[in-house]
Amino acid sequence: MNEIHGTDDSGGAGVGADVRVSSDAPRGVRIPPGWTGSVMDLDARSTPGFQGDKQDGEDRLAALDERLDDLQERLYAASRPTGEGRSVLLVVQGMDTSGKGGIMRHVVGSVDPQGVDISAFKAPTDEEKKHDFLWRIRPHAPAPGMIGVFDRSHYEDVLIHRVHGWADEREIQGRYRAINEFEQELTEAGTTVIKVMLHISAQEQGERLMERLERPDKHWKFNPGDLDERVHWPAYMEAYDRALAATSTDHAPWTVVPADRKWYARIAVQQLLLDALEAIDPQWPAADFDVDEQVERLRATME
């Protein structure tokens, strides 16, 4: 891991000395425990750990699809005989238009859907509001063998609530502690937690929103409420700074992925998933029957 200083289009992250990025693969910027920086210091157009251009990135995404699919299938298969085993939780946060949908389609969508559970957390229902904020989250923790994906997550309850003043500082701090405890429980149960903030600039978001307004085929994706939230951009960036500082832990670290270049965000998240699965190193389960005997039985039916 090398320290990155300055900003450029060939891989510089525009970060301070307290964060590090991988120089050998696109993994974004990992946030260490006790971080004191700001996401605003990170260049949303940078491509840390990757020296190629858009075409190179798209080629890489396609080239590693098969590897990701193989590892996911092994993870799923390893848990089938006993219903036990490891799992992965990918938490994807980001401002509107940051590319969460593209991650779902182009990265998560490349693996067998039977081994993936995607949960999108919208505004809580009246029933959900009657309970602790993690009440609606816990049932969606990934089962053994699964890759769970949170498209937005429990972090909405510290981000939006801080920005709009729906919870006071004492409540927010309590939720940080509850989140850290929850994620510690997950890791102790065998889940690798990957937390990604897709870091888009205000300028890029404006251009993406304008495209949705200018194209009739994109109108369905536009929500006037997005403009209401855009007014609070500085407050959201501060809310992210505080959340990342309070909840990036050794067992569940945050990674800020520059997202102005959609193709880079996709290869970075793909790499983070590959890292997690390769560390787990799932193996195909051994057959619980005599393979040779079954081969002979099958051959007898084919004569």
Side-chain angles (χ1 to χ4, degrees), residues 16-51:
D18 63 336
V19 293
R20 294 171 179 268
V21 299
S22 171
S23 61
D24 61 351
R27 294 186 175 92
V29 179
R30 180 164 170 163
I31 303 301
W35 185 56
T36 58
S38 172
V39 293
M40 295 298 288
D41 294 333
L42 309 181
D43 182 1
R45 284 189 61 78
S46 64
T47 60
F50 192 72
Q51 301 299 319

Side-chain angles (χ1 to χ4, degrees), residues 22-294:
S22 171
S23 61
D24 61 351
R27 294 186 175 92
V29 179
R30 180 164 170 163
I31 303 301
W35 185 56
T36 58
S38 172
V39 293
M40 295 298 288
D41 294 333
L42 309 181
D43 182 1
R45 284 189 61 78
S46 64
T47 60
F50 192 72
Q51 301 299 319
D53 58 17
K54 179 178 180 179
Q55 187 60 58
D56 295 326
E58 291 177 347
D59 290 345
R60 177 189 175 89
L61 187 73
L64 292 177
D65 271 353
E66 185 174 351
R67 174 63 175 163
L68 182 61
D69 183 60
D70 175 68
L71 285 165
Q72 180 272 324
E73 186 178 6
R74 280 199 266 156
L75 179 74
Y76 183 79
S79 70
R80 294 311 93 185
T82 63
E84 300 176 350
R86 299 290 302 277
S87 61
V88 174
L89 174 62
L90 171 64
V91 175
V92 183
Q93 285 286 153
M95 297 293 284
D96 296 311
T97 79
S98 60
K100 295 183 292 294
I103 297 297
M104 302 305 136
R105 290 191 300 275
H106 298 283
V107 181
V108 180
S110 68
V111 303
D112 189 338
Q114 73 174 334
V116 177
D117 183 12
I118 299 177
S119 302
F121 295 99
K122 307 298 183 183
T125 65
D126 289 339
E127 176 62 27
E128 289 169 342
K129 290 178 182 179
K130 296 176 183 178
H131 301 272
D132 174 84
F133 78 103
L134 289 174
W135 181 81
R136 65 174 182 156
I137 306 295
R138 291 182 180 277
H140 297 279
M146 298 294 289
I147 295 178
V149 184
F150 287 177
D151 180 355
R152 297 188 187 273
S153 68
H154 42 297
Y155 284 95
E156 294 295 294
D157 290 284
V158 294
L159 296 168
I160 294 177
H161 285 245
R162 177 180 287 281
V163 169
H164 291 286
W166 297 341
D168 61 23
E169 185 63 27
R170 180 178 179 181
E171 176 66 20
I172 295 294
Q173 292 297 326
R175 291 183 182 186
Y176 290 153
R177 290 191 293 273
I179 286 172
N180 287 338
E181 291 171 1
F182 170 57
E183 292 172 352
Q184 180 72 53
E185 291 171 11
L186 291 177
T187 58
E188 290 175 353
T191 299
T192 297
V193 180
I194 306 168
K195 300 187 298 192
V196 171
M197 179 211 175
L198 297 177
H199 176 41
I200 186 175
S201 66
Q203 176 66 29
E204 179 66 20
Q205 189 205 48
E207 293 174 5
R208 292 182 187 180
L209 288 171
M210 186 63 74
E211 181 185 23
R212 291 181 180 182
L213 287 170
E214 292 176 341
R215 291 178 50 177
D217 64 324
K218 297 286 187 179
H219 287 174
W220 67 275
K221 299 181 71 174
F222 183 82
N223 182 349
D226 293 346
L227 299 185
D228 297 330
E229 295 305 300
R230 180 172 164 79
V231 173
H232 300 287
W233 191 275
Y236 269 108
M237 294 302 101
E238 181 183 0
Y240 269 108
D241 288 345
R242 295 196 182 191
L244 269 58
T247 62
S248 194
T249 59
D250 289 329
H251 59 271
W254 273 103
T255 299
V256 176
V257 172
D260 274 13
R261 303 175 193 260
K262 294 179 181 179
W263 59 267
Y264 175 79
R266 293 165 187 171
I267 61 174
V269 175
Q270 181 192 58
Q271 185 62 53
L272 292 172
L273 275 171
L274 283 169
D275 289 345
L277 289 167
E278 287 172 346
I280 293 172
D281 191 24
Q283 300 298 311
W284 298 112
D288 59 359
F289 51 83
D290 186 320
V291 176
D292 291 336
E293 177 185 352
Q294 299 309 310

